[in-house]
Amino acid sequence: MAKYSVLLPIILFSIVIFITLMVYWPGIRGGFVFDDFPNIVTNEALKINGLSQESLTAAAFSTHSGPTGRPLSMVSFALNEYFTGTDPKPMKLTNLFIHLVNGFLVYWLTWLVLEAWRKYHQPNLHKSKLIYTAIGITSTWLLLPINLTSVLYIVQRMTTLAAGCTLLGLILYVKARDKMLGKQGGAFWWAGAALVCFSALGALCKESGVLLPAYAFVIEWCIFRFQASNVLSDRRLYWLFGITLILPGILGLLWLLPSHLMPNAFDNRPFTLVERLLTEPRVLLDYFRWTLVPSLRELSLYHDDYPISKGLLNPPTTLIYILTIFGLIWFALKQRFQYPWFTLAILWFFTGHSLEGSFVNLELMHEHRNYLPSLGILLGVFPPLLLIQHSHKITVAKATFTLGLVISYASITAIRAQQWSDPIKFATISAHLHPTSPRATYEVGQMYAILAQNGNHAFIQYAIQSLEHSSHTPRSSLLPEQGLLIISSKANLPSKREWWDGMEIKLKKRPATVQDIHAVSALVHCEISGICKFPLERMVSLMNTAIRNNPRNAELFAIYSNYALNVLHNHTLTDQLMHTALKLSPHEPRYLENLIKFEIYQGHFDKTQNLIEKLKKLNRFGRLDTMISRLQERLNKAKYANLTLTTTASNKF
Amino acid sequence: MPLIPTCNFLPSYLKQTNQFGFFLEKLPACPPTSTLIKLFLLFTGALILSICLTIWAYYPGLAGPFLFDDWANLPALGEYGKINHWQAFWRYLTSGTADPTGRPIALLTFLIDANDWPADPQHFKYTNLMIHLLNGLLLLWLLLRLGTAISLPSHQNIGAAILATNLWMLHPLFVSTTLYVIQREAMLVATWVLIGLHSYLYGRCHLSQSSWRGIIWMTFGITIGTLLGVLSKANGILLPLFAWLMDSILIKPKFPLPQSSIWRWWLRIFVILPSILLLGWLFQQGINTFTSDLPNRPFTGIERLLTEPRVLVNYLLLLFFPRPYTSGLFNDAYPISSHLWQPWTTLLAIVLLSTLPVICWVKRKKWPVFSFSLLFFLAGHLLESTVIPLELYFEHRNYVPALFLFWPIALGLFTSKTLSSPVRTCLIIGCIIILATFTRTRSTIWGDGAYQALTWARINPLSSRAQTQAALHEMKSGMYEAAADRLTKALRQHPNSVQIALNLLSARCGIGKVTRKDLDQAAYALSHAQVGKEILFNWMLDVVQHYSATYCQGLDHLALERLLQATEINPAATEKGWQQNIFHLRGILALQQSHPQRAAEYFKQAIKIDPYAGIILREAAIMGSHSCPELGLEILTMSRRYLKPSPETSLGMARIHEWLLKKGSYWEREYRHLYHTLTNDIKAYHDPMCPQINTISNDN
């Protein structure tokens, strides 16, 4: 017995680890992709010179992702950069290591849950069955093709770290619950502490970490069922979940809902709140399908071409999917005692998606959102399959089926890892698989542009072709046109009128997205840095169209102010635009910084000091210390030397 | 020490509250202290939570600006100078022009927030929120007492009352009452109605013990409540009808009427008679509306009567299926019913609204709470949503009528036997979260004037008011082209709209040039518009004040004169006020062109049309301030004989106001003051701008 419980899992688990390493290894060679660039590659705060507290704090709060800024994940990237430089390979290796650790935690949690099941519901189960089941679940989960983007897409370390915290919290909770039922004092407080501490830690990696109490509730409801050692139900648990789940849930809704109901809340997306709510059921059931029956044609980093549901019957599957989801949840709730593993699977999966798959203003679909929810689906498949006692033949059939499943998942994941192993291969395959995805088609154009930049001018035409194709994809942003303009300007080729017109048409048709803003910003930066030369009237027209159609977008005003100052040299306009940007987004330190520099440049020193005081009020955790000291220094220099900056010097901002 | 604590152990709070007749009914004669303490804690906790939630929901809206009718009414705070002495106080208090009463109670409460103009809107909005909370508490208390009166079990009564109050207090439809400063009037009516009903209920419940005491309380409640209500806003007059409904549906079945004839006469005089008189008056108004034109409205009397049922159904839909944001204050584009089936919902709404009260009345014994709440709602709309030719649609009109509307729902939730406890809790929490977040969303929009204007313009593409408001904000932030585009589009839909046409001229000025076509459009609007005299007046004053040769290409004095001529030929401009304004504007224009004599002539003509003290002093002062004190003095002395208080004043508060001004010799003093100033000015200097004055006077 002891052999079974110690040696067998170690051997089996080592094999699984080895296979996972083998499968993922080719993917380690791949490059940075998509969101890696703004968050890691071009994020100056991550390039730390030492491990001082200030530099780590600056790195931790260097992005605006989510309400917390995901500091723990950002620190982990900074440490990566510190020890190994801006190189994707060690970063991907770190991600893979985290994935393997998570695999171990999955095994541990699954084993604990199965053991609890055995102990309280099915005492005659043989322990070896539990081990095989836990190993089956863990190996499948580690090799699930849908989990690949969480591992090889570096920035999604945020997801894997948060999942790690959630798994640890759940392990502690299940252990504490077991002890509570064994009448050990203090275990209740351990359960509470585990939920609170690991939720907080998880949330500091990514917001999905706050779902820990919800996952714990699902396990409690399906496995432990609020049982107490001596009475029918442990009322302390109601209080526990009331305080850690219901109350934060209500407060969270009160906090999030009003801002999501604002009429312009979804202006940065190609869909409205209602459209998101209608589309997500289809997205969720597609995740479900891709988890169990992965398809190489459909799985991808890019799903921005996913068709949006415009109404209950547009497309008609919308209503069917909505009804299916309600049906599944209703059935799961009803049949808790009859099919507890099914209930656990369904509730776990939808709990895992309750944040990113509901009303929150995020993009519609990302595979990495399934990292933990996919475990739920496996919990619904394996235990009913492997735990039930059958004849020898059926047991062999079941083992073969499990092995076959693991091997087929491993093969698909291995092929995907191969696709990820080379940036050019990755870009072309993605564009091929998703010809209407604006991002995939843009990436391939960008890839050719980089190749052309490296001296191979033959690629310029390819780049232009690809980007022109990308610019015509539905829902495409201004990025392809921006790429076309920059490439042609750099190569001294004439720019086409339709590129400029195309951008203005897109801006007039819908609110500006994050990508559009990036595009406009890139054009301005290219011009200011002297690399590109664009026609003045087209740029001014573009800027005016942008702000006119997005009168509440502070960033566009800030970009225009930069252009007005450094290209148009129109100080009155600069002043107006900077103030508008600040009025629209009074808590953005960058806008204040810009205004302060501008005021110093104009010699308005008394105003500047007030603005610096304002900036100090925004200085949380000392993250703006460097900025403030630099500005103060600049002000003092300007004051004492009565030195006004030249226009070119202000180019820096 | 008894094993079960006796009632002496009750917390004193509970005993006090029980004095008012709620809380302990249907509990065991002497319930265990723990049950009572639990009830007490739950009740107090829920109450505090409700208040906090309401404040949270409304908080972002407190930063909003004054809106729409605020600008028409609140400047009275500074009209007679700072209100820091009694004379100014009485003048201000009687200065209201809305309703025959002038709504002095509402005016009085504005003094809490400011005693001069301009003032900070934040103080006003904060006080409004406090009044909203007060109304919520009064409603809660009344619901608890009514629940006791109809013998609801204590825990259901408390739960339903708190939930119903929350649903009302947190409902997003009332953001446009609470955060719309001037509609404090509607909120105060709710306060007086609730206080009146409390007092009535108190007296009614004591009638069986001491009939005199009961009758005194009831008389006091009905008369004082109605009086103060009417002095806040006219619909306070509905209180006797409300009391009648409450009595006949909820109280009478449990507390039958005493047999004494005094009591019966009392009921006839104080409750039934006012209600019947009111209904009769409305009937007569209805006949008037049917037979007369409504010159200031874009609809006829019959159209209003056909449209209002749809409006009411729309209100009900918004109340029961709230939305995070609606058309707001600008409902001028609400589609009018021109026929019974145009649009087809008209007939449906009429059928629904004519059967609903009948069903409610017939079933009042079976479903007393449901019947009462719906009949109360319909009765609350009798004044504003029937025959009186007011504007068609305003959300704030629901503030009082909807007071009890959520009570049956809340009661249904608490008494339902089919709902399990977790489902009930989820439903309650869900409802409250939805309402609170919707209200917070809406009040966030209300807290940002520019955002609010753009949002309303998006929701109401056909409303000329909404489009103008958005364009004004766009112009304020320098986006003249966007404003011009918006107004051009709007003008195509509303070619008669003075506000759109004139603001389009402003937008064109911002871009650089006013074209002939713009002027033609403006002239067309001015010559055809039914309303808009104030807009023309204010706009023109603004233009003329900034007027200079380089002010705006194409908008020269000839163009302005053309606009005035267009106004003159408007058939609606026969009204004295219009004519006076046209001459006044001509005068100002002449002054800007350095033609003081001509200006003086225009001013004199303006005075001649309807001479009263205010206008004489204004015109004389303007001449003085344009360095022509002689002409100012001439106007002043010439018109002295006309120095009567104001243009023909009707009955009501306006007459008291004039009497006050007369009694305080206000105009006399103002006249003397101006006379001295002008004489001193003449002595002090002689301005070269008026060289011909002497010649003219010599000639004379």
Side-chain angles (χ1 to χ4, degrees), chain A residues 36-206:
Chain A
D36 290 343
F37 288 97
N39 286 298
I40 300 166
V41 183
T42 56
N43 187 348
E44 291 300 319
L46 293 189
K47 297 174 179 39
I48 51 175
N49 296 319
L51 297 178
S52 68
Q53 193 205 338
E54 195 198 334
S55 56
L56 285 177
T57 317
F61 296 102
S62 59
T63 65
H64 298 280
S65 323
T68 60
R70 305 175 185 172
L72 288 185
S73 306
M74 295 316 288
V75 167
S76 88
F77 293 131
L79 292 175
N80 247 141
E81 291 238 10
Y82 178 71
F83 289 111
T84 60
T86 315
D87 181 3
K89 200 171 173 181
M91 291 203 187
K92 293 201 181 204
L93 261 177
T94 316
N95 277 21
L96 184 55
F97 174 73
I98 296 170
H99 183 53
L100 294 175
V101 171
N102 282 345
F104 170 69
L105 296 177
V106 163
Y107 172 76
W108 194 1
L109 176 67
T110 323
W111 194 83
L112 284 173
V113 171
L114 290 169
E115 172 64 16
W117 174 260
R118 186 193 66 79
K119 212 164 155 185
Y120 303 112
H121 301 289
Q122 221 174 328
N124 55 351
L125 263 179
H126 197 266
K127 271 209 170 172
S128 66
K129 269 196 184 303
L130 303 188
I131 292 167
Y132 288 130
T133 311
I135 285 291
I137 291 172
T138 310
S139 53
T140 320
W141 184 79
L142 274 170
L143 291 163
L144 261 187
I146 204 167
N147 285 345
L148 176 124
T149 53
S150 311
V151 183
L152 292 182
Y153 184 17
I154 299 171
V155 77
Q156 283 314 324
R157 180 184 299 172
M158 297 166 170
T159 301
T160 51
L161 278 179
C165 294
T166 308
L167 288 168
L168 266 173
L170 287 175
I171 289 167
L172 280 177
Y173 178 80
V174 174
K175 279 185 96 64
R177 271 300 276 141
D178 189 44
K179 286 188 177 161
M180 276 166 77
L181 287 165
K183 290 186 198 172
Q184 284 198 18
F188 170 75
W189 297 107
W190 273 105
L195 293 190
V196 173
C197 297
F198 282 96
S199 296
L201 274 178
L204 293 178
C205 300
K206 195 178 182 180

Side-chain angles (χ1 to χ4, degrees), chain B residues 33-112:
Chain B
T33 312
S34 62
T35 314
L36 286 167
I37 288 176
K38 208 171 140 190
L39 257 178
F40 165 73
L41 285 178
L42 270 175
F43 176 75
T44 318
L47 195 64
I48 292 170
L49 210 64
S50 313
I51 292 171
C52 293
L53 208 57
T54 313
I55 293 175
W56 172 83
Y58 273 101
Y59 186 74
L62 300 182
F66 288 118
L67 294 157
F68 199 44
D69 269 354
D70 290 345
W71 294 106
N73 295 293
L74 292 173
L77 279 166
E79 203 178 325
Y80 300 99
K82 199 170 181 180
I83 305 165
N84 51 7
H85 53 93
W86 283 111
Q87 274 190 347
F89 170 78
W90 289 115
R91 264 177 231 143
Y92 161 72
L93 207 62
T94 54
S95 69
T97 51
D99 299 344
T101 64
R103 305 180 183 173
I105 298 280
L107 291 180
L108 182 70
T109 64
F110 291 135
L111 285 177
I112 300 171

Side-chain angles (χ1 to χ4, degrees), chain A residues 254 261-264 548 552, chain B residues 56 325 441 448 451 458 485:
Chain A
L254 287 178
L261 292 169
M262 296 293 281
N264 65 340
R548 201 174 138 179
R552 303 197 57 82
Chain B
W56 172 83
Y325 35 88
T441 308
D448 181 343
Y451 189 26
R458 198 150 82 167
D485 282 359

Side-chain angles (χ1 to χ4, degrees), chain B residues 462-595:
Chain B
L462 297 176
S463 157
S464 59
R465 281 179 196 158
Q467 296 305 323
T468 313
Q469 190 72 12
L472 282 171
H473 275 283
E474 279 167 340
M475 284 194 265
K476 218 189 260 176
S477 41
M479 296 159 74
Y480 288 98
E481 288 198 16
D485 282 359
R486 180 188 294 284
L487 292 168
T488 312
K489 259 185 231 159
L491 196 60
R492 248 176 260 144
Q493 286 152 355
H494 306 277
N496 290 355
S497 168
V498 177
Q499 54 181 344
I500 298 178
L502 294 182
N503 281 307
L504 179 59
L505 294 183
S506 300
R508 293 272 190 246
C509 280
I511 299 168
K513 194 184 169 191
V514 168
T515 62
R516 203 180 160 71
K517 191 183 162 202
D518 301 325
L519 277 175
D520 289 345
Q521 287 172 334
Y524 179 85
L526 286 167
S527 56
H528 289 79
Q530 296 279 325
V531 285
K533 130 180 106 164
E534 298 80 13
I535 299 164
L536 170 74
F537 188 66
N538 294 333
W539 180 85
M540 197 83 117
L541 271 185
D542 191 47
V543 169
V544 170
Q545 270 163 18
H546 297 101
Y547 182 77
S548 71
T550 54
Y551 170 65
C552 174
Q553 202 188 337
L555 197 65
D556 50 14
H557 67 276
L558 286 174
L560 293 174
E561 178 55 37
R562 197 180 149 207
L563 297 181
L564 288 175
Q565 280 172 4
T567 316
E568 238 170 357
I569 58 166
N570 187 333
T574 47
E575 194 195 314
K576 280 180 183 171
W578 270 90
Q579 295 291 335
Q580 245 174 356
N581 278 348
I582 293 169
F583 280 116
H584 177 74
L585 288 168
R586 284 221 166 96
I588 303 252
L589 199 58
L591 271 178
Q592 286 293 348
Q593 291 171 267
S594 309
H595 293 307

Side-chain angles (χ1 to χ4, degrees), chain B residues 323-581:
Chain B
R323 292 182 214 158
Y325 35 88
T326 53
S327 50
L329 293 186
F330 300 134
N331 304 294
D332 46 331
Y334 193 85
I336 296 166
S337 294
S338 54
H339 220 281
L340 266 179
W341 42 86
Q342 187 63 36
W344 62 274
T345 42
T346 311
L347 188 63
L348 207 68
I350 292 174
V351 171
L352 184 74
L353 282 183
S354 40
T355 46
L356 208 58
V358 178
I359 296 172
C360 288
W361 188 253
V362 173
K363 293 281 179 188
R364 68 186 189 281
K365 281 184 184 144
K366 198 170 177 196
W367 310 319
V369 174
F370 169 80
S371 300
F372 169 66
S373 68
L374 259 177
L375 286 173
F376 189 94
F377 176 80
L378 294 173
H381 274 292
L382 270 179
L383 221 56
E384 289 170 314
S385 307
T386 52
V387 292
I388 304 174
L390 304 166
E391 288 198 27
L392 288 177
Y393 186 109
F394 273 114
E395 288 170 3
H396 60 247
R397 291 183 184 158
N398 290 290
Y399 192 79
V400 177
L403 278 170
F404 298 94
L405 207 56
F406 306 108
W407 195 27
I409 300 178
L411 210 55
L413 266 176
F414 274 93
T415 49
S416 163
K417 283 172 189 144
T418 48
L419 292 175
S420 65
S421 177
V423 174
R424 177 180 301 146
T425 315
C426 283
L427 276 174
I428 291 169
I429 292 177
C431 282
I432 287 177
I433 287 182
I434 287 175
L435 289 181
T437 48
F438 280 15
T439 302
R440 172 112 177 161
T441 308
R442 205 180 286 191
S443 74
T444 311
I445 298 174
W446 276 71
D448 181 343
Y451 189 26
Q452 184 184 39
L454 292 176
T455 309
W456 281 349
R458 198 150 82 167
I459 300 173
N460 308 312
L462 297 176
S463 157
S464 59
R465 281 179 196 158
Q467 296 305 323
T468 313
Q469 190 72 12
L472 282 171
H473 275 283
E474 279 167 340
M475 284 194 265
K476 218 189 260 176
S477 41
M479 296 159 74
Y480 288 98
E481 288 198 16
D485 282 359
R486 180 188 294 284
L487 292 168
T488 312
K489 259 185 231 159
L491 196 60
R492 248 176 260 144
Q493 286 152 355
H494 306 277
N496 290 355
S497 168
V498 177
Q499 54 181 344
I500 298 178
L502 294 182
N503 281 307
L504 179 59
L505 294 183
S506 300
R508 293 272 190 246
C509 280
I511 299 168
K513 194 184 169 191
V514 168
T515 62
R516 203 180 160 71
K517 191 183 162 202
D518 301 325
L519 277 175
D520 289 345
Q521 287 172 334
Y524 179 85
L526 286 167
S527 56
H528 289 79
Q530 296 279 325
V531 285
K533 130 180 106 164
E534 298 80 13
I535 299 164
L536 170 74
F537 188 66
N538 294 333
W539 180 85
M540 197 83 117
L541 271 185
D542 191 47
V543 169
V544 170
Q545 270 163 18
H546 297 101
Y547 182 77
S548 71
T550 54
Y551 170 65
C552 174
Q553 202 188 337
L555 197 65
D556 50 14
H557 67 276
L558 286 174
L560 293 174
E561 178 55 37
R562 197 180 149 207
L563 297 181
L564 288 175
Q565 280 172 4
T567 316
E568 238 170 357
I569 58 166
N570 187 333
T574 47
E575 194 195 314
K576 280 180 183 171
W578 270 90
Q579 295 291 335
Q580 245 174 356
N581 278 348

